[in-house]
Amino acid sequence: RMQLEVIKHFPNVNFVEYLGLCPTVMNIADSPNGRNATPHLASPWKRWLAFWIVRILAIITYPIPDFIKHPIVKFVMRRDSPLLDDHFVQYGSKLVNEYIIRNVLHMAHDEMCEIRDVEPFREIISTLKERIVFVLSPRDKWCCNNIVAQMRESFPEATFKVLSDNVPHAFCLSHDHIEEIISHIDFKK
């Protein structure tokens, strides 16, 4: 979606291709993860509560050395992404900051409200036509269950590459699926 915003704001630039890797360009709130997250993100008091919980955790954990924090953060982060690379855990342990969490929750709430329909981008999409390539994962929990059919209907000129069922939305958090992703991208253009 952000790529489409950039293309919209720079109409004089001749973009060679739009490549959407597991894109969430429509109806994100209707996705399995969106249906779970939207009620919590829509509540200002829940976002406020999360801010203060993280703030208290940051104060409590500040004096704890990294070699103790690292396994705890690793356990929490790998709950949803078991194949998560270790260097992401190191960065994740440094992100326990109440202001970062507040901004992430605010951004996520905005995405749930704003990423609904592709209609605002119809003109951009019509100028790109066959230069649009979408690489979709059928298992992507940030997209609706019938996302491939919806997107083919919305972007009939686009090229679609469908990944195997085992590739998650956040494929970049692990090196396990990189070869499959690369195999679906045509670098010859």
Side-chain angles (χ1 to χ4, degrees), residues 53-70 72-73 93-98:
I53 289 171
V54 172
R55 184 172 196 151
I56 292 166
L57 283 172
I59 291 168
I60 292 170
T61 60
Y62 181 76
I64 298 174
D66 283 342
F67 73 90
I68 295 173
K69 277 194 262 187
H70 187 82
I72 297 167
V73 172
S93 65
K94 297 188 184 331
L95 293 176
V96 180
N97 177 296
E98 62 272 20

Side-chain angles (χ1 to χ4, degrees), residues 108-175:
H109 176 252
D110 282 352
E111 285 182 347
M112 295 299 145
C113 295
E114 292 177 14
I115 300 178
R116 289 273 173 211
D117 190 23
V118 293
E119 202 55 45
F121 299 100
R122 277 282 167 222
E123 186 179 327
I124 297 161
I125 292 163
S126 67
T127 61
L128 292 172
K129 294 186 181 179
E130 67 279 345
R131 294 182 292 160
I132 298 176
V133 178
F134 290 110
V135 180
L136 302 164
S137 172
R139 192 187 110 180
D140 191 341
K141 290 190 166 103
W142 284 108
C143 292
C144 299
N145 293 334
N146 58 348
I147 189 66
V148 177
Q150 284 183 355
M151 290 188 62
R152 285 188 186 194
E153 184 179 314
S154 297
F155 307 97
E157 302 94 355
T159 302
F160 291 89
K161 314 275 181 138
V162 180
L163 301 167
S164 63
D165 285 343
N166 65 341
V167 180
H169 176 79
F171 65 87
C172 59
L173 297 180
S174 159
H175 297 293

Side-chain angles (χ1 to χ4, degrees), residues 13-64:
V13 175
N14 183 22
F15 289 92
V16 176
E17 188 173 68
Y18 169 86
L19 178 65
L21 295 173
C22 296
T24 50
V25 295
M26 60 196 327
N27 304 326
I28 191 170
D30 298 332
S31 69
N33 285 348
R35 282 191 305 275
N36 291 334
T38 301
H40 304 294
L41 295 170
S43 170
W45 76 266
K46 286 184 181 177
R47 291 195 313 260
W48 177 87
L49 181 64
F51 170 83
W52 282 102
I53 289 171
V54 172
R55 184 172 196 151
I56 292 166
L57 283 172
I59 291 168
I60 292 170
T61 60
Y62 181 76
I64 298 174

Side-chain angles (χ1 to χ4, degrees), residues 80-120:
D80 291 331
S81 301
L83 303 174
L84 185 75
D85 283 350
D86 212 38
H87 61 276
F88 286 108
V89 175
Q90 182 181 2
Y91 295 122
S93 65
K94 297 188 184 331
L95 293 176
V96 180
N97 177 296
E98 62 272 20
Y99 298 104
I100 291 172
I101 297 299
R102 182 183 63 193
N103 290 338
V104 166
L105 293 174
H106 181 74
M107 181 192 72
H109 176 252
D110 282 352
E111 285 182 347
M112 295 299 145
C113 295
E114 292 177 14
I115 300 178
R116 289 273 173 211
D117 190 23
V118 293
E119 202 55 45

